[in-house]
Amino acid sequence: MEAAMASSSTGTPGVDVPDRRGRTGLDRAGLGLNGNPRVVVREVKVLTSHWFVTRATTFDFQHADGSWSTEERETYDRGDGACILPYDPVSRTVLLTRQFRYPAYVNGHPDGMLIEAAAGLLDADDPESAIRREVEEELGYSLGAVDHLHDVYMSPGSVTERLHFFAAPYERGTVSAGSRHGVAEEGEDIEVLELGINDALDRIGVDIIDAKTIILLQWAALRGPFA
């Protein structure tokens, strides 16, 4: 046991010894990419491997004039996610959440309490299974049929995450607005909001400033149930 611990202490977590999530070989991500002949990945360094993974990748890039340059980019890999907008076309309402987001708080948001669509990481699930799980955890509601809308890269300059967008009908009165949910072990304290679609649209850029939520609300108004 002591020998195994000593061996692991000399390695790099996530590379040649397991990190806290049991992962190794994280420095090989991207080395086999061949879909773009103008990009040749040369080296991948794992900078952090705590819960999510930060890498620095060096690659050669061919420009439009035929010249090549060597570039380095840092990427933040937190896995892919899913989000959803439950809507009632009769009452013209939608279900959203409000919860504390430290990254927003530390970057200028007055209290860090963001209004958002229910969302979460896929982990080991497929996108639809993941969003059903998240809705039960965040809204206390079991979904019926869901519609897959599109997939979006939310911050492609640095974050690898691809977000799967869904929408689903619900019936007003089946979810308790103002109730609180979330996974206590993860420190979640999530409030359920039920807003009229016109009210929600009017609040875009005011207190609805989360990108995925704005995309879903605009879809609902332009192409979805409230078009």
Side-chain angles (χ1 to χ4, degrees), residues 37 83 190 214 217:
C83 62
I190 300 172
I214 294 172
L217 291 173

Side-chain angles (χ1 to χ4, degrees), residues 148-163:
H148 175 250
L149 305 179
H150 45 248
D151 302 332
V152 174
Y153 292 96
M154 298 298 291
S155 187
S158 58
V159 182
T160 62
E161 181 184 24
R162 180 173 53 183
L163 196 58

Side-chain angles (χ1 to χ4, degrees), residues 208-222:
I208 296 181
I209 52 176
D210 169 68
K212 63 181 179 294
T213 307
I214 294 172
I215 291 172
L216 283 167
L217 291 173
Q218 291 183 335
W219 165 84
L222 296 174

Side-chain angles (χ1 to χ4, degrees), residues 113-189:
M113 301 299 294
L114 262 62
I115 297 175
E116 302 179 37
L121 295 178
L122 303 188
D123 294 326
D125 291 331
D126 62 89
E128 183 174 327
S129 297
I131 200 57
R132 289 183 181 278
R133 178 195 71 223
E134 291 298 326
V135 168
E136 290 184 0
E137 292 177 357
E138 297 190 2
L139 300 177
Y141 181 72
S142 295
L143 290 169
V146 301
D147 293 319
H148 175 250
L149 305 179
H150 45 248
D151 302 332
V152 174
Y153 292 96
M154 298 298 291
S155 187
S158 58
V159 182
T160 62
E161 181 184 24
R162 180 173 53 183
L163 196 58
H164 303 266
F165 282 71
F166 292 88
Y170 83 102
E171 184 177 348
R172 189 176 189 184
T174 58
V175 180
S176 299
S179 60
R180 309 193 81 89
H181 301 277
V183 180
E185 293 79 6
E186 298 177 5
E188 293 182 337
D189 183 5

Side-chain angles (χ1 to χ4, degrees), residues 1-11 17-18:
M1 180 67 174
E2 292 181 358
M5 293 178 63
S7 175
S8 65
S9 66
T10 61
V17 298

Side-chain angles (χ1 to χ4, degrees), residues 25-33 39-48 53-61 69-77 156-160:
L26 297 177
D27 58 330
R28 295 195 293 270
L31 290 176
L33 291 174
V39 178
V40 179
V41 178
R42 296 297 184 186
E43 182 182 26
V44 181
K45 295 180 180 178
V46 175
L47 302 180
T48 61
V53 183
T54 309
R55 299 178 177 90
T57 299
T58 302
F59 60 91
D60 297 336
F61 178 74
S69 64
T70 299
E71 308 292 340
E72 183 179 83
R73 297 289 185 274
E74 290 188 10
T75 57
Y76 182 58
D77 183 357
S158 58
V159 182
T160 62

